[in-house]
Each structure stands twice: as structure tokens, then as C-alpha cells.
Amino acid sequence: MDFDKIIDRRNTHSIKWDMMEPLYGVSPEDGLAMWVADTDFAVPDVVSARMRAMADHGIYGYVNCESEYKGAIQWWMENRHGWRVDADAIFTTTGLVNGVGMCLDTFTNEGDGIVLFTPVYHAFAKVIRLAGREVVECQMVQEDGAYKMDFAAYDAQMTGRERMVILCSPHNPGGRVWTQEELQGVADFCKRHDLMLISDEIHHDLVFEGHTHIPMAVAAPDIADRLIMLTAPSKTFNFAGLHTGQVIIQDETLRERFRRRMLAIYLQGNTAGEFATMAAYSPDGASYVAELVPYLAANKALFDEAVNAIPGLSSMELQSTYLAWVDFSGTGMEREEFTRRVEQVAKIAVNHGTTFGTGGESFLRFNLGTQRVRVEEACERLAKAFADLQ
């Protein structure tokens, strides 16, 4: 793959590029889109070929590809992550935010407390509130520049109204790959407070050298009766627009409840997303990931070196994902000022840290899943925007 090849996404209905001006005041003509978490890379050839074959067939009627589709997911999880998945445990939703919404709808009631370890992926809180549930923020602490969970503090926060925890593993936006001990700590916390656990593992393939992702189902098999796993190929292979994610439920009682709810609203996957998944979860797809991850790691190293050289700025050390989490608190600036400099002076559209919950107020999130020349350009623009600090 030529990850350096520039693909112009402007005027293609791309949210990332065509919505940056109305939302952030950054024109796509001279700005850099570093917010929405999709990449600017083409999908692997194996996926393109499968999609072309589908288009060329010319008939888009009902299909049944369940055996091949679920088989590809089983192969990928076992070969990439050492996790053996029962085919009957796999359900398909229109992406993982939809999967979260379905879990809230199936397993909780209005007014229930849903625990988030903040700061964390902003869509969780949005869906929780829209579903009439209460967001319970358990703020993480920073130790040696990385996020850690303080379970003693979280135990003290629980009121008995909480029914579910949503974990982001690997963590977005901090990039942590949780250790076996940390994952067991989450599992034990859920058992102590009789909480269901939703483990969103969408970034599980984008893990850098020296770190290993452990699926929660592997790390804590003792909580299978309260665990829901969420996975998707969309971040790894850049086809989030096909809206295809997997909800994987080991426990048969929970599985039956979820199945009945899906049938009640007749929620099904889409053919394009399932065909793309079958192509991606293959040896050719694995080869693509083997090239992608080192490229992202090099982008990360370049970005971190440049940003950390600017006084007052600190880029958290990523262990996974392509989403840099930059702390501006050392500048002494108000949030409005450092955000203005990034968006209006450097002309970079980024995610605001406040949307990720408590603990994100001094941060901005930068998407590094783009061509290296754009990362280099972003570094130069940030240095100029904060030149008075140097």
C-alpha cells in the first residue's frame, strides 16, 4: 500500500472534509481535517476487488452470506487476538454506536446509571443521555503521562443505581492498551457492583510494537455472564461509512435477550458491509494491517516530537489508535484561546476535549490517520501558531 498517496476527499460528501467549515470554521481549501476518526487511506485492494465484484454483478437483492461472514470474523479473532468466538454469539449492527444503543435498550431502563471512565469517546455519553439513562463519570488519573483507573475512588462513587459500564479498549482518546491486571480490575469492579460490561474494542488491530491487546473475553472469562463484546473492521480498514459492527455475546441468556430485541425491530446488517468484512478479515487484510500499523507509528513519532517541542504542549504517548491526545494546560491559556490558535491560526479542524467528558477540558484530539506530508504540515502550522511561547 502507498499510504503517502494523497486522495482528495473534498466535495465527496466526506464528513471529515466537507463538514469542517460549517462546524469549525476551517475551510477545506487551505485547512487540515484532523477530527473525525476515519483515515485518508484507501481500503486494501482485497476489499476494493470484493466491492467492485458486487457492483458489477448488478443485482443488489437479498443475500445470505452468514456462514462466510461469521467464519471470517471467527478466523480473524482467533488468529489475530487468540480469541475463539462461537458463530451463534455474533450479531451485526449498523456500527458500534448503534451496538451501544441496542445494549442500552435491551439491558437497561430509563434512569439507570451507566458508568464511563472519562475522558472517553464522546458518542457514548451522547447515546446514553438520548436513551434517558444517566452518565456516571468515573474520571481516570494520569500517572507518568498515561491514564490509569482508580477503582477505590470509583467504588466510593457507586450509589446502587448503576447498571452498566462501557469500557473503551484500547482507549480512545488516550491510546492506552489496558494490561491483564487492569482488565481484571474492571471485571472485578463490575462483579462488586453487579454491573454489565460493554467492551468496545474497535481499535484492537491498531496496536503499536511493544504492546498487546487482550480481548476482555480472554482476560476475564469469569464475567461471561455479564459481558458484551463490540468489534468492527471499520477503523482498521477505513470503511466506517458501510456501517457494520459486531456485537458478540457469549452468555446464552444474554444472547437470547439481545436476539429477541433485534428481531423486534428487525435490525439487520447490510450486504456491502458484510462483503467488505469478509474480504478484510483474511490473510490479505492481515498484510494490509502489517503495513498500516508501522506507518501510523511513524506518524505518531513525528507528531509527538514536534508537539512536545512546543513549550506548554504535551502529546500523550500512544500505545494504539491513530488519535493523538494533546494537553494544552501548560500554556496557561484558556480553552477558547488555544482552540482558536489551532483552528483559526493553524487552520486545523480537531475534536474538542470537552466532548470526551470530565478530564478532557485542556485537551484537543488530532487524527494522525493521514498522509505523512499532512502530519508534517500540521506540525509546522502548530509551531507557528504557538511561536510566541518558544
Side-chain angles (χ1 to χ4, degrees), residues 215-243:
M216 179 58 83
V218 174
D222 54 312
I223 63 163
D225 62 342
R226 63 179 71 243
L227 175 64
I228 310 290
M229 298 284 290
L230 304 184
T231 67
S234 52
K235 300 302 180 189
T236 307
F237 298 100
N238 199 30
F239 52 76
L242 297 182
H243 294 286

PDB file of all heavy atoms in Angstrom, residues 215-243:
ATOM      1  N   PRO A 215      -8.369  -9.208  24.406  1.00  0.00           N
ATOM      2  CA  PRO A 215      -9.829  -9.072  24.440  1.00  0.00           C
ATOM      3  C   PRO A 215     -10.351  -9.324  25.856  1.00  0.00           C
ATOM      4  O   PRO A 215      -9.855 -10.217  26.563  1.00  0.00           O
ATOM      5  CB  PRO A 215     -10.302 -10.157  23.471  1.00  0.00           C
ATOM      6  CG  PRO A 215      -9.128 -10.427  22.582  1.00  0.00           C
ATOM      7  CD  PRO A 215      -7.918 -10.228  23.442  1.00  0.00           C
ATOM      8  N   MET A 216     -11.335  -8.555  26.265  1.00  0.00           N
ATOM      9  CA  MET A 216     -11.872  -8.727  27.611  1.00  0.00           C
ATOM     10  C   MET A 216     -12.390 -10.141  27.831  1.00  0.00           C
ATOM     11  O   MET A 216     -12.270 -10.698  28.930  1.00  0.00           O
ATOM     12  CB  MET A 216     -12.980  -7.705  27.867  1.00  0.00           C
ATOM     13  CG  MET A 216     -13.635  -7.815  29.240  1.00  0.00           C
ATOM     14  SD  MET A 216     -12.499  -7.656  30.655  1.00  0.00           S
ATOM     15  CE  MET A 216     -12.380  -5.865  30.783  1.00  0.00           C
ATOM     16  N   ALA A 217     -12.953 -10.750  26.782  1.00  0.00           N
ATOM     17  CA  ALA A 217     -13.456 -12.114  26.924  1.00  0.00           C
ATOM     18  C   ALA A 217     -12.345 -13.102  27.252  1.00  0.00           C
ATOM     19  O   ALA A 217     -12.578 -14.136  27.882  1.00  0.00           O
ATOM     20  CB  ALA A 217     -14.166 -12.544  25.636  1.00  0.00           C
ATOM     21  N   VAL A 218     -11.122 -12.810  26.819  1.00  0.00           N
ATOM     22  CA  VAL A 218      -9.956 -13.643  27.111  1.00  0.00           C
ATOM     23  C   VAL A 218      -9.373 -13.273  28.468  1.00  0.00           C
ATOM     24  O   VAL A 218      -8.974 -14.136  29.255  1.00  0.00           O
ATOM     25  CB  VAL A 218      -8.891 -13.493  26.008  1.00  0.00           C
ATOM     26  CG1 VAL A 218      -7.614 -14.249  26.366  1.00  0.00           C
ATOM     27  CG2 VAL A 218      -9.443 -13.984  24.673  1.00  0.00           C
ATOM     28  N   ALA A 219      -9.330 -11.986  28.764  1.00  0.00           N
ATOM     29  CA  ALA A 219      -8.718 -11.507  30.004  1.00  0.00           C
ATOM     30  C   ALA A 219      -9.520 -11.913  31.238  1.00  0.00           C
ATOM     31  O   ALA A 219      -8.941 -12.202  32.291  1.00  0.00           O
ATOM     32  CB  ALA A 219      -8.582  -9.985  29.970  1.00  0.00           C
ATOM     33  N   ALA A 220     -10.856 -11.924  31.121  1.00  0.00           N
ATOM     34  CA  ALA A 220     -11.700 -12.180  32.298  1.00  0.00           C
ATOM     35  C   ALA A 220     -12.854 -13.113  31.922  1.00  0.00           C
ATOM     36  O   ALA A 220     -14.024 -12.707  31.879  1.00  0.00           O
ATOM     37  CB  ALA A 220     -12.228 -10.870  32.861  1.00  0.00           C
ATOM     38  N   PRO A 221     -12.567 -14.368  31.631  1.00  0.00           N
ATOM     39  CA  PRO A 221     -13.640 -15.307  31.268  1.00  0.00           C
ATOM     40  C   PRO A 221     -14.648 -15.522  32.381  1.00  0.00           C
ATOM     41  O   PRO A 221     -15.761 -16.001  32.117  1.00  0.00           O
ATOM     42  CB  PRO A 221     -12.875 -16.596  30.935  1.00  0.00           C
ATOM     43  CG  PRO A 221     -11.559 -16.471  31.642  1.00  0.00           C
ATOM     44  CD  PRO A 221     -11.239 -15.014  31.638  1.00  0.00           C
ATOM     45  N   ASP A 222     -14.291 -15.140  33.598  1.00  0.00           N
ATOM     46  CA  ASP A 222     -15.198 -15.321  34.740  1.00  0.00           C
ATOM     47  C   ASP A 222     -16.397 -14.377  34.710  1.00  0.00           C
ATOM     48  O   ASP A 222     -17.333 -14.548  35.513  1.00  0.00           O
ATOM     49  CB  ASP A 222     -14.429 -15.122  36.051  1.00  0.00           C
ATOM     50  CG  ASP A 222     -13.692 -13.793  36.132  1.00  0.00           C
ATOM     51  OD1 ASP A 222     -12.991 -13.448  35.156  1.00  0.00           O
ATOM     52  OD2 ASP A 222     -13.803 -13.094  37.156  1.00  0.00           O
ATOM     53  N   ILE A 223     -16.401 -13.383  33.785  1.00  0.00           N
ATOM     54  CA  ILE A 223     -17.550 -12.474  33.731  1.00  0.00           C
ATOM     55  C   ILE A 223     -18.351 -12.642  32.445  1.00  0.00           C
ATOM     56  O   ILE A 223     -19.049 -11.726  32.014  1.00  0.00           O
ATOM     57  CB  ILE A 223     -17.125 -11.002  33.903  1.00  0.00           C
ATOM     58  CG1 ILE A 223     -16.197 -10.558  32.759  1.00  0.00           C
ATOM     59  CG2 ILE A 223     -16.489 -10.754  35.263  1.00  0.00           C
ATOM     60  CD1 ILE A 223     -16.084  -9.046  32.637  1.00  0.00           C
ATOM     61  N   ALA A 224     -18.269 -13.814  31.840  1.00  0.00           N
ATOM     62  CA  ALA A 224     -19.000 -14.059  30.594  1.00  0.00           C
ATOM     63  C   ALA A 224     -20.495 -13.838  30.763  1.00  0.00           C
ATOM     64  O   ALA A 224     -21.186 -13.477  29.807  1.00  0.00           O
ATOM     65  CB  ALA A 224     -18.733 -15.477  30.099  1.00  0.00           C
ATOM     66  N   ASP A 225     -21.015 -14.038  31.986  1.00  0.00           N
ATOM     67  CA  ASP A 225     -22.454 -13.892  32.214  1.00  0.00           C
ATOM     68  C   ASP A 225     -22.907 -12.441  32.302  1.00  0.00           C
ATOM     69  O   ASP A 225     -24.099 -12.163  32.431  1.00  0.00           O
ATOM     70  CB  ASP A 225     -22.868 -14.623  33.486  1.00  0.00           C
ATOM     71  CG  ASP A 225     -22.193 -14.067  34.741  1.00  0.00           C
ATOM     72  OD1 ASP A 225     -21.167 -13.361  34.616  1.00  0.00           O
ATOM     73  OD2 ASP A 225     -22.695 -14.349  35.842  1.00  0.00           O
ATOM     74  N   ARG A 226     -21.955 -11.492  32.208  1.00  0.00           N
ATOM     75  CA  ARG A 226     -22.317 -10.069  32.254  1.00  0.00           C
ATOM     76  C   ARG A 226     -21.566  -9.260  31.194  1.00  0.00           C
ATOM     77  O   ARG A 226     -21.525  -8.037  31.256  1.00  0.00           O
ATOM     78  CB  ARG A 226     -22.051  -9.491  33.638  1.00  0.00           C
ATOM     79  CG  ARG A 226     -20.595  -9.497  34.072  1.00  0.00           C
ATOM     80  CD  ARG A 226     -20.411  -8.870  35.457  1.00  0.00           C
ATOM     81  NE  ARG A 226     -20.951  -9.721  36.515  1.00  0.00           N
ATOM     82  CZ  ARG A 226     -21.971  -9.365  37.331  1.00  0.00           C
ATOM     83  NH1 ARG A 226     -22.523  -8.169  37.197  1.00  0.00           N
ATOM     84  NH2 ARG A 226     -22.396 -10.183  38.248  1.00  0.00           N
ATOM     85  N   LEU A 227     -20.957  -9.936  30.211  1.00  0.00           N
ATOM     86  CA  LEU A 227     -20.069  -9.269  29.254  1.00  0.00           C
ATOM     87  C   LEU A 227     -20.657  -9.247  27.848  1.00  0.00           C
ATOM     88  O   LEU A 227     -21.124 -10.262  27.338  1.00  0.00           O
ATOM     89  CB  LEU A 227     -18.717  -9.996  29.220  1.00  0.00           C
ATOM     90  CG  LEU A 227     -17.696  -9.511  28.182  1.00  0.00           C
ATOM     91  CD1 LEU A 227     -17.270  -8.071  28.458  1.00  0.00           C
ATOM     92  CD2 LEU A 227     -16.480 -10.442  28.167  1.00  0.00           C
ATOM     93  N   ILE A 228     -20.587  -8.060  27.217  1.00  0.00           N
ATOM     94  CA  ILE A 228     -20.922  -7.888  25.809  1.00  0.00           C
ATOM     95  C   ILE A 228     -19.688  -7.314  25.117  1.00  0.00           C
ATOM     96  O   ILE A 228     -19.151  -6.289  25.533  1.00  0.00           O
ATOM     97  CB  ILE A 228     -22.098  -6.907  25.595  1.00  0.00           C
ATOM     98  CG1 ILE A 228     -23.287  -7.269  26.485  1.00  0.00           C
ATOM     99  CG2 ILE A 228     -22.482  -6.863  24.121  1.00  0.00           C
ATOM    100  CD1 ILE A 228     -23.993  -8.524  26.121  1.00  0.00           C
ATOM    101  N   MET A 229     -19.238  -7.965  24.034  1.00  0.00           N
ATOM    102  CA  MET A 229     -18.078  -7.506  23.288  1.00  0.00           C
ATOM    103  C   MET A 229     -18.533  -6.785  22.025  1.00  0.00           C
ATOM    104  O   MET A 229     -19.429  -7.253  21.313  1.00  0.00           O
ATOM    105  CB  MET A 229     -17.196  -8.696  22.908  1.00  0.00           C
ATOM    106  CG  MET A 229     -16.622  -9.463  24.084  1.00  0.00           C
ATOM    107  SD  MET A 229     -15.240  -8.605  24.866  1.00  0.00           S
ATOM    108  CE  MET A 229     -13.986  -8.771  23.596  1.00  0.00           C
ATOM    109  N   LEU A 230     -17.897  -5.656  21.722  1.00  0.00           N
ATOM    110  CA  LEU A 230     -18.179  -4.909  20.497  1.00  0.00           C
ATOM    111  C   LEU A 230     -16.902  -4.849  19.658  1.00  0.00           C
ATOM    112  O   LEU A 230     -15.847  -4.427  20.148  1.00  0.00           O
ATOM    113  CB  LEU A 230     -18.633  -3.485  20.811  1.00  0.00           C
ATOM    114  CG  LEU A 230     -19.838  -3.308  21.738  1.00  0.00           C
ATOM    115  CD1 LEU A 230     -20.195  -1.822  21.852  1.00  0.00           C
ATOM    116  CD2 LEU A 230     -21.037  -4.094  21.244  1.00  0.00           C
ATOM    117  N   THR A 231     -17.005  -5.287  18.404  1.00  0.00           N
ATOM    118  CA  THR A 231     -15.861  -5.220  17.496  1.00  0.00           C
ATOM    119  C   THR A 231     -16.345  -4.738  16.125  1.00  0.00           C
ATOM    120  O   THR A 231     -17.540  -4.776  15.831  1.00  0.00           O
ATOM    121  CB  THR A 231     -15.190  -6.596  17.317  1.00  0.00           C
ATOM    122  OG1 THR A 231     -16.086  -7.482  16.628  1.00  0.00           O
ATOM    123  CG2 THR A 231     -14.803  -7.194  18.654  1.00  0.00           C
ATOM    124  N   ALA A 232     -15.405  -4.297  15.309  1.00  0.00           N
ATOM    125  CA  ALA A 232     -15.739  -3.862  13.949  1.00  0.00           C
ATOM    126  C   ALA A 232     -14.453  -3.737  13.145  1.00  0.00           C
ATOM    127  O   ALA A 232     -13.390  -3.430  13.700  1.00  0.00           O
ATOM    128  CB  ALA A 232     -16.476  -2.521  13.963  1.00  0.00           C
ATOM    129  N   PRO A 233     -14.530  -3.954  11.836  1.00  0.00           N
ATOM    130  CA  PRO A 233     -13.355  -3.770  10.979  1.00  0.00           C
ATOM    131  C   PRO A 233     -13.184  -2.328  10.510  1.00  0.00           C
ATOM    132  O   PRO A 233     -12.213  -2.009   9.826  1.00  0.00           O
ATOM    133  CB  PRO A 233     -13.663  -4.681   9.786  1.00  0.00           C
ATOM    134  CG  PRO A 233     -15.159  -4.668   9.694  1.00  0.00           C
ATOM    135  CD  PRO A 233     -15.669  -4.526  11.109  1.00  0.00           C
ATOM    136  N   SER A 234     -14.085  -1.444  10.861  1.00  0.00           N
ATOM    137  CA  SER A 234     -14.178  -0.123  10.230  1.00  0.00           C
ATOM    138  C   SER A 234     -12.975   0.778  10.485  1.00  0.00           C
ATOM    139  O   SER A 234     -12.529   1.488   9.577  1.00  0.00           O
ATOM    140  CB  SER A 234     -15.464   0.577  10.668  1.00  0.00           C
ATOM    141  OG  SER A 234     -15.578   0.584  12.080  1.00  0.00           O
ATOM    142  N   LYS A 235     -12.438   0.812  11.701  1.00  0.00           N
ATOM    143  CA  LYS A 235     -11.275   1.663  11.962  1.00  0.00           C
ATOM    144  C   LYS A 235     -10.024   1.084  11.312  1.00  0.00           C
ATOM    145  O   LYS A 235      -9.186   1.816  10.778  1.00  0.00           O
ATOM    146  CB  LYS A 235     -11.056   1.832  13.472  1.00  0.00           C
ATOM    147  CG  LYS A 235     -12.209   2.462  14.217  1.00  0.00           C
ATOM    148  CD  LYS A 235     -12.567   3.833  13.694  1.00  0.00           C
ATOM    149  CE  LYS A 235     -13.723   4.426  14.484  1.00  0.00           C
ATOM    150  NZ  LYS A 235     -14.249   5.656  13.886  1.00  0.00           N
ATOM    151  N   THR A 236      -9.885  -0.232  11.376  1.00  0.00           N
ATOM    152  CA  THR A 236      -8.698  -0.885  10.831  1.00  0.00           C
ATOM    153  C   THR A 236      -8.595  -0.691   9.325  1.00  0.00           C
ATOM    154  O   THR A 236      -7.520  -0.374   8.797  1.00  0.00           O
ATOM    155  CB  THR A 236      -8.735  -2.388  11.147  1.00  0.00           C
ATOM    156  OG1 THR A 236      -8.936  -2.578  12.551  1.00  0.00           O
ATOM    157  CG2 THR A 236      -7.442  -3.062  10.721  1.00  0.00           C
ATOM    158  N   PHE A 237      -9.721  -0.862   8.627  1.00  0.00           N
ATOM    159  CA  PHE A 237      -9.694  -0.901   7.163  1.00  0.00           C
ATOM    160  C   PHE A 237     -10.352   0.321   6.513  1.00  0.00           C
ATOM    161  O   PHE A 237     -10.452   0.386   5.292  1.00  0.00           O
ATOM    162  CB  PHE A 237     -10.371  -2.182   6.673  1.00  0.00           C
ATOM    163  CG  PHE A 237      -9.666  -3.429   7.132  1.00  0.00           C
ATOM    164  CD1 PHE A 237     -10.156  -4.149   8.214  1.00  0.00           C
ATOM    165  CD2 PHE A 237      -8.510  -3.854   6.514  1.00  0.00           C
ATOM    166  CE1 PHE A 237      -9.501  -5.294   8.655  1.00  0.00           C
ATOM    167  CE2 PHE A 237      -7.853  -4.991   6.945  1.00  0.00           C
ATOM    168  CZ  PHE A 237      -8.344  -5.716   8.027  1.00  0.00           C
ATOM    169  N   ASN A 238     -10.812   1.262   7.308  1.00  0.00           N
ATOM    170  CA  ASN A 238     -11.337   2.536   6.826  1.00  0.00           C
ATOM    171  C   ASN A 238     -12.575   2.389   5.945  1.00  0.00           C
ATOM    172  O   ASN A 238     -12.648   2.953   4.860  1.00  0.00           O
ATOM    173  CB  ASN A 238     -10.257   3.329   6.068  1.00  0.00           C
ATOM    174  CG  ASN A 238     -10.619   4.812   5.978  1.00  0.00           C
ATOM    175  OD1 ASN A 238     -11.286   5.358   6.865  1.00  0.00           O
ATOM    176  ND2 ASN A 238     -10.196   5.474   4.918  1.00  0.00           N
ATOM    177  N   PHE A 239     -13.563   1.625   6.454  1.00  0.00           N
ATOM    178  CA  PHE A 239     -14.861   1.650   5.782  1.00  0.00           C
ATOM    179  C   PHE A 239     -16.000   1.856   6.782  1.00  0.00           C
ATOM    180  O   PHE A 239     -17.021   1.186   6.747  1.00  0.00           O
ATOM    181  CB  PHE A 239     -15.096   0.453   4.862  1.00  0.00           C
ATOM    182  CG  PHE A 239     -14.883  -0.928   5.431  1.00  0.00           C
ATOM    183  CD1 PHE A 239     -15.822  -1.510   6.276  1.00  0.00           C
ATOM    184  CD2 PHE A 239     -13.785  -1.683   5.057  1.00  0.00           C
ATOM    185  CE1 PHE A 239     -15.659  -2.798   6.744  1.00  0.00           C
ATOM    186  CE2 PHE A 239     -13.618  -2.977   5.512  1.00  0.00           C
ATOM    187  CZ  PHE A 239     -14.552  -3.534   6.361  1.00  0.00           C
ATOM    188  N   ALA A 240     -15.820   2.863   7.650  1.00  0.00           N
ATOM    189  CA  ALA A 240     -16.847   3.183   8.644  1.00  0.00           C
ATOM    190  C   ALA A 240     -18.177   3.553   7.991  1.00  0.00           C
ATOM    191  O   ALA A 240     -19.247   3.344   8.570  1.00  0.00           O
ATOM    192  CB  ALA A 240     -16.371   4.320   9.557  1.00  0.00           C
ATOM    193  N   GLY A 241     -18.110   4.115   6.778  1.00  0.00           N
ATOM    194  CA  GLY A 241     -19.326   4.517   6.084  1.00  0.00           C
ATOM    195  C   GLY A 241     -20.206   3.354   5.669  1.00  0.00           C
ATOM    196  O   GLY A 241     -21.362   3.561   5.287  1.00  0.00           O
ATOM    197  N   LEU A 242     -19.700   2.117   5.763  1.00  0.00           N
ATOM    198  CA  LEU A 242     -20.510   0.948   5.457  1.00  0.00           C
ATOM    199  C   LEU A 242     -21.322   0.480   6.666  1.00  0.00           C
ATOM    200  O   LEU A 242     -22.093  -0.478   6.570  1.00  0.00           O
ATOM    201  CB  LEU A 242     -19.633  -0.194   4.930  1.00  0.00           C
ATOM    202  CG  LEU A 242     -18.905   0.107   3.617  1.00  0.00           C
ATOM    203  CD1 LEU A 242     -18.099  -1.105   3.167  1.00  0.00           C
ATOM    204  CD2 LEU A 242     -19.894   0.517   2.523  1.00  0.00           C
ATOM    205  N   HIS A 243     -21.118   1.135   7.809  1.00  0.00           N
ATOM    206  CA  HIS A 243     -21.958   0.946   8.994  1.00  0.00           C
ATOM    207  C   HIS A 243     -22.187  -0.529   9.324  1.00  0.00           C
ATOM    208  O   HIS A 243     -23.306  -1.036   9.303  1.00  0.00           O
ATOM    209  CB  HIS A 243     -23.292   1.667   8.817  1.00  0.00           C
ATOM    210  CG  HIS A 243     -23.162   3.154   8.746  1.00  0.00           C
ATOM    211  ND1 HIS A 243     -22.890   3.932   9.851  1.00  0.00           N
ATOM    212  CD2 HIS A 243     -23.219   4.010   7.696  1.00  0.00           C
ATOM    213  CE1 HIS A 243     -22.809   5.199   9.491  1.00  0.00           C
ATOM    214  NE2 HIS A 243     -22.987   5.271   8.184  1.00  0.00           N
TER     215      HIS A 243
END
